[in-house]
DNA sequence: GCCGTTTTCGGCCCGACTGTTTTCAGTCG
């Protein structure tokens, strides 16, 4: 072991990212063969898992540690990792590369690209290199010919830094904070930037630290996850490229001006411009210090405290000056759930189990919104079954105490704008969530009018995940949000913020627009199991970014009042 | 290739619909 240690010290240790890249490249190469797709998936999963480790795989290998302790790594992949660390290459990958076409080898430098799709583009556009691919992407040619989804795939595949969903950054934040506290001995650390504002996609995670020895801290961070690339550093600020693909910004701050530093490192650019136009330049602000807390800063300039989620440069600075900031909705204000699935369609738990879980969260009610008949893949509930479910829930409510189960459905909006159940059945439900799950490819005008027609049905209450987007995966279908908001307002329809962290749909901006039109919003989890009620936190984040107060939120109302709003 | 209250093999969700890149693979939850 000692020999290996010495050997390791003689060379530059591999970063977890470099190891993960090799595994991802192998997965990509295997995917072009007639290889078991689950094997491909296993390599991809292992690669992704490795990127989030704070320990150094290189060190672990040299210490002969058991790598199979980590999720997604078994004997075979542990062997591959050992080979990469000890020899610098992966034989299997090298062999596949020598056998592959030059185009494929070229593509293999970008393991996140799907070779099949890229080769299709090559053929159609008569190109054969990544450079040409990049050019056609930038020309907008790929989007024009293959659509927005393909363009997004190529763009993500060619980009070095992978953005990260907020909920995944939550885990990373904890492990980085732990590392900073325990390994770097910082006195204080606080997360700031986009993460603190709860932006749904994170490119850069940043922390404010109070430390005696900043250069030493930088040195230690360079060994986070084996080796972490230092992009730039200056006195009191360092920028790294993390293995997980996003950047890490560390800024040092003094106790004396900790509050001011929190303010400057949290606000968006637009927010800071507006703020400094009120306070004067940063230099002149500093002269008026000290500002040990954010509150001391806001007080000094006659402002009330601006919640981080609001610091986007809308109207929050003016509102803070006039004491007119909204009192933002919070998780504890939620009185019930309006979008949840059960085993009747594609959920993991029974109606009764979901009801119990809702009660344990302190809710007064939960809707059960299983999928409607057309959505076969998700076990859509046939008409006669939903009739039975209506009767079942009535009986269940007689039996249950402390929670009311609402009879509902996530009703598909069919291609022609009709709803997926007959009116005489919809009439029996307490309310409906109506969503699009098919024909995403319709044009903007058709899609908009499809939703508007659906809203003309008097049993339409809440529009589920309005745009159908999946963050970092799929752009939503195209709709004219302005027309839909106007139509919803006219017809007494509502929107939801779907809290599922890869949807967060409505976006904060659309939520803001809908609320400005006086439309109340449901903050819903779309839970498919009991623990998923906990996702409401992410919906609340977006609601707060949109400036929502409890009075803007449907499920902050008791059922008695809510039921009146649902009657049309 | 990984994993295990379905545990050492066999599953890893799945089934109908869509469409021109693709007549089968991609897509929807």
């Amino acid at each position: 072991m000692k020999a290996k240690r010495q050997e390791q010290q003689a060379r530059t240790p591999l970063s977890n990212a470099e190891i993960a890249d090799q595994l991802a490249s192998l997965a990509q190469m295997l995917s072009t063969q007639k290889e078991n797709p689950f094997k491909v998936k296993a390599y991809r999963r292992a690669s992704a898992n490795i990127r989030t480790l704070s320990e150094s795989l290189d060190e672990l290998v040299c210490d002969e540690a058991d790598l199979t302790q980590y999720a997604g790594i078994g004997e075979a992949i542990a062997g591959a990792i050992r080979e990469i660390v000890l020899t610098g290459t992966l034989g299997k990958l090298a062999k596949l590369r020598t056998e592959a076409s030059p185009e494929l080898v070229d593509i293999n430098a970008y393991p996140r690209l799907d070779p099949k799709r890229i080769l299709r583009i090559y053929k159609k556009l008569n190109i054969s290199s990544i450079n040409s691919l990049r050019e056609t992407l930038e020309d907008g040619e790929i989007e024009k010919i293959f659509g927005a989804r393909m363009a997004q795939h190529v763009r993500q595949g060619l980009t070095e830094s992978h953005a990260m969903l907020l909920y995944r950054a939550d885990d990373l934040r904890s492990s980085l904070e732990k590392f900073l506290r325990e390994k770097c001995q910082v006195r204080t650390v606080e997360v700031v930037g986009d993460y603190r504002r709860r932006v749904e996609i994170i490119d850069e995670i940043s922390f404010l630290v109070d430390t005696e020895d900043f250069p030493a801290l930088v040195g230690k961070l360079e060994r986070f996850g084996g080796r972490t690339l230092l992009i730039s550093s200056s006195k009191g600020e360092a920028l790294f490229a993390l293995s997980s693909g996003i950047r890490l910004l560390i800024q040092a701050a003094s106790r004396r001006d900790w509050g001011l530093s929190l303010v400057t490192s949290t606000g968006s650019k637009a927010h800071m411009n507006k703020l400094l136009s009120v306070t004067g330049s940063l230099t002149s602000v500093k002269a008026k210090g000290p500002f040990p807390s954010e509150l001391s800063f806001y007080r000094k300039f006659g402002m009330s405290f601006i919640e981080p989620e609001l610091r986007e440069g809308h109207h929050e600075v003016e509102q803070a000056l006039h004491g007119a900031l909204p009192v933002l909705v919070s998780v504890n204000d939620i009185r019930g759930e309006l979008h949840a699935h059960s085993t009747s369609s594609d959920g993991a738990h029974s109606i009764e189990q979901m009801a119990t879980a809702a009660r344990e969260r302190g809710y007064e009610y939960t809707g059960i919104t299983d999928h409607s008949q057309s959505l076969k893949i998700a076990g859509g509930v046939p008409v006669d079954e939903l009739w039975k479910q209506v009767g079942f829930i009535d009986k269940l409510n007689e039996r249950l105490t402390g929670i009311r189960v609402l009879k509902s459905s996530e009703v598909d909006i069919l291609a022609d704008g009709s709803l997926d159940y007959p009116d005489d059945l919809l009439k029996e439900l307490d309310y409906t969530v109506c969503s699009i799950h098919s024909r995403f490819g319709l044009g903007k005008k058709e899609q908009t009018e499809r939703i508007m027609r659906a809203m003309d049905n008097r049993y339409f209450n809440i529009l589920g995940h309005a745009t159908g987007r999946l963050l970092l995966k799929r752009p939503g279908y195209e709709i004219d949000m302005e027309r839909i908001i106007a139509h919803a307002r006219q017809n007494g329809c509502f929107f939801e913020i779907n809290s599922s962290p890869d949807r967060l749909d409505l976006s904060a901006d659309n939520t803001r627009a809908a609320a400005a039109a006086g439309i109340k919003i449901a903050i819903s989890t779309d839970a498919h199991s009991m623990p998923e009620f906990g996702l409401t936190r992410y919906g609340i984040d977006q609601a707060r970014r949109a400036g929502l107060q409890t009075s803007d939120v449907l499920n902050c109302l008791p059922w008695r009042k809510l039921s009146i709003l649902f009657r049309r």
Side-chain angles (χ1 to χ4, degrees):
Chain A
M1 191 197 294
K2 205 176 170 191
K4 278 190 185 163
R5 264 287 194 194
Q6 281 165 356
E7 190 184 303
Q8 186 204 12
Q9 279 157 11
R11 61 182 174 80
T12 314
L14 285 177
S15 71
N16 291 352
E18 287 164 325
I19 297 167
D21 284 344
Q22 298 251 357
L23 296 180
S25 292
L26 179 58
Q28 190 195 46
M29 278 309 219
L30 290 173
S31 78
T32 66
Q33 316 279 104
K34 278 174 227 137
E35 190 49 90
N36 177 0
F38 294 109
K39 188 194 274 192
V40 175
K41 219 172 170 183
Y43 276 106
R44 290 229 170 90
R45 197 172 44 224
S47 170
N49 289 352
I50 283 170
R51 289 181 198 280
T52 64
L53 292 183
S54 62
E55 296 95 329
S56 161
L57 279 173
D58 193 305
E59 272 174 36
L60 288 167
V61 166
C62 293
D63 291 345
E64 288 170 18
D66 177 20
L67 301 180
T68 62
Q69 65 180 299
Y70 299 106
I73 301 179
E75 283 306 324
I77 293 183
I81 293 170
R82 271 194 298 274
E83 186 188 341
I84 294 168
V85 171
L86 298 175
T87 71
T89 54
L90 186 55
K92 201 168 171 183
L93 176 61
K95 183 164 177 287
L96 284 170
R97 277 187 176 148
T98 59
E99 290 163 1
S101 68
E103 288 88 2
L104 217 48
V105 174
D106 194 30
I107 292 171
N108 200 225
Y110 299 86
R112 297 196 311 152
L113 288 174
D114 171 15
K116 278 188 204 153
R117 291 158 88 178
I118 302 308
L119 291 176
R120 220 155 59 211
I121 295 175
Y122 281 8
K123 200 172 158 194
K124 176 90 177 181
L125 299 182
N126 201 20
I127 56 174
S128 61
S129 74
I130 291 289
N131 279 340
S132 322
L133 182 69
R134 205 186 291 275
E135 279 167 23
T136 52
L137 176 72
E138 280 160 13
D139 291 349
E141 210 173 333
I142 291 182
E143 169 143 18
K144 206 172 76 199
I145 298 173
F146 298 95
R149 192 168 302 189
M150 182 69 100
Q152 175 161 332
H153 171 73
V154 176
R155 194 170 301 116
Q156 277 173 15
L158 291 179
T159 315
E160 282 288 319
S161 90
H162 333 171
M164 181 181 275
L165 295 184
L166 181 59
Y167 84 105
R168 295 216 38 227
D170 276 340
D171 295 336
L172 185 62
R173 174 243 171 121
S174 324
S175 82
L176 279 165
E177 249 181 34
K178 191 161 176 257
F179 189 88
L180 286 164
R181 278 184 214 285
E182 292 174 6
K183 299 270 163 60
C184 309
Q185 281 95 36
V186 296
R187 281 187 290 253
T188 316
V189 50
E190 264 187 83
V191 73
V192 289
D194 289 3
Y195 180 93
R196 185 166 178 232
R197 299 201 314 280
R198 307 303 289 166
V199 176
E200 66 266 44
I201 293 173
I202 301 291
D203 294 301
E204 180 179 289
I205 187 161
S206 46
F207 293 92
L208 209 59
V209 297
D210 175 23
T211 178
E212 237 162 52
D213 189 350
F214 192 73
L217 176 144
V218 171
K220 290 209 169 107
L221 273 172
E222 283 189 276
R223 293 196 295 279
F224 179 82
R227 188 160 54 79
T228 291
L229 177 70
L230 177 64
I231 300 171
S232 66
S233 77
S234 61
K235 187 172 170 281
E237 188 169 303
L239 183 66
F240 299 88
L242 290 169
S243 292
S244 48
I246 67 170
R247 296 183 173 215
L248 166 67
L249 178 67
I250 304 284
Q251 293 167 281
S254 68
R255 287 243 136 276
R256 183 182 180 275
D257 275 325
W258 186 260
L260 175 61
S261 299
L262 279 178
V263 169
T264 58
S265 57
T266 298
S268 74
K269 234 179 217 156
H271 171 81
M272 286 313 296
N273 286 340
K274 290 201 172 176
L275 189 66
L276 293 180
S277 73
V278 169
T279 61
S281 75
L282 209 51
T283 327
S284 75
V285 170
K286 272 183 186 154
K288 292 176 185 153
F291 299 107
S293 70
E294 286 190 313
L295 216 51
S296 66
F297 167 84
Y298 288 119
R299 229 177 250 150
K300 180 86 180 180
F301 293 97
M303 284 182 259
S304 36
F305 179 82
I306 305 176
E307 297 282 0
E309 295 93 323
L310 286 178
R311 302 184 200 175
E312 294 288 352
H314 293 285
H315 303 291
E316 68 278 4
V317 172
E318 296 93 304
Q319 288 173 325
L321 283 167
H322 297 111
L325 282 167
V327 179
L328 298 182
V329 63
S330 71
V331 170
N332 292 334
D333 298 323
I334 297 295
R335 302 175 87 136
E337 172 65 55
L338 292 171
H339 188 164
H341 296 263
S342 77
T343 45
S344 300
S345 63
D346 59 348
H349 295 111
S350 69
I351 294 175
E352 190 163 353
Q353 285 174 312
M354 293 300 276
T356 311
R359 184 174 57 197
E360 272 165 23
R361 287 186 65 85
Y363 288 168
E364 294 169 21
Y365 51 87
T366 181
I368 294 295
T369 52
D370 279 305
H371 287 291
S372 61
Q373 54 181 343
S374 290
L375 203 63
K376 309 270 193 229
I377 178 80
V381 182
V383 170
D384 55 332
E385 288 297 318
L386 189 58
W387 274 110
K388 280 187 213 157
Q389 184 156 310
V390 164
F392 172 79
I393 291 177
D394 282 336
K395 287 219 180 80
L396 183 64
N397 277 327
E398 286 170 20
R399 190 153 55 80
L400 288 177
T401 54
I403 185 82
R404 181 189 180 114
V405 178
L406 305 177
K407 294 165 284 187
S408 186
S409 168
E410 182 176 10
V411 188
D412 260 59
I413 299 172
L414 303 177
D416 63 356
S418 60
L419 299 184
D420 196 22
Y421 285 127
D423 283 359
D424 65 329
L425 176 51
L426 293 175
K427 186 169 180 287
E428 295 302 312
L429 302 177
D430 290 313
Y431 72 98
T432 60
V433 175
C434 302
S435 312
I436 283 183
H437 293 121
S438 61
R439 301 298 298 272
F440 279 34
L442 288 183
K444 184 170 181 175
K445 186 160 179 287
E446 282 174 288
Q447 202 71 282
T448 303
E449 283 164 9
R450 173 189 187 182
I451 294 174
M452 285 166 56
R453 263 198 302 282
M455 285 179 165
D456 289 337
N457 186 310
R458 61 181 297 208
Y459 300 112
F460 184 117
N461 294 122
I462 301 171
L463 178 61
H465 44 69
T467 73
R469 73 174 181 177
L470 289 180
L471 295 167
L472 297 178
K473 214 161 151 193
R474 172 179 88 194
Y477 35 80
E478 288 192 70
I479 48 174
D480 185 335
M481 196 45 97
E482 222 171 288
R483 281 182 77 193
I484 289 176
I485 287 175
H487 204 68
R489 181 184 174 174
Q490 197 184 340
N491 285 9
C493 301
F494 305 98
F495 291 89
E496 76 171 10
I497 295 177
N498 192 297
S499 308
S500 170
D502 53 4
R503 289 190 183 273
L504 297 175
D505 183 14
L506 293 181
S507 66
D509 283 343
N510 283 334
T511 302
R512 194 175 275 275
I519 299 174
K520 288 192 199 303
I521 312 285
I523 300 175
S524 299
T525 60
D526 202 350
H528 281 68
S529 67
M530 296 194 284
E532 286 177 36
F533 281 130
L535 296 178
T536 193
R537 193 258 151 109
Y538 295 97
I540 291 281
D541 286 338
Q542 301 309 310
R544 290 168 65 87
R545 295 185 65 221
L548 296 198
Q549 317 197 60
T550 54
S551 58
D552 297 312
V553 179
L554 280 178
N555 45 332
C556 288
L557 288 169
W559 173 242
R560 188 170 43 80
K561 290 191 175 164
L562 192 52
S563 62
I564 297 167
L565 293 181
F566 285 152
R567 267 182 239 139
R568 284 175 58 187

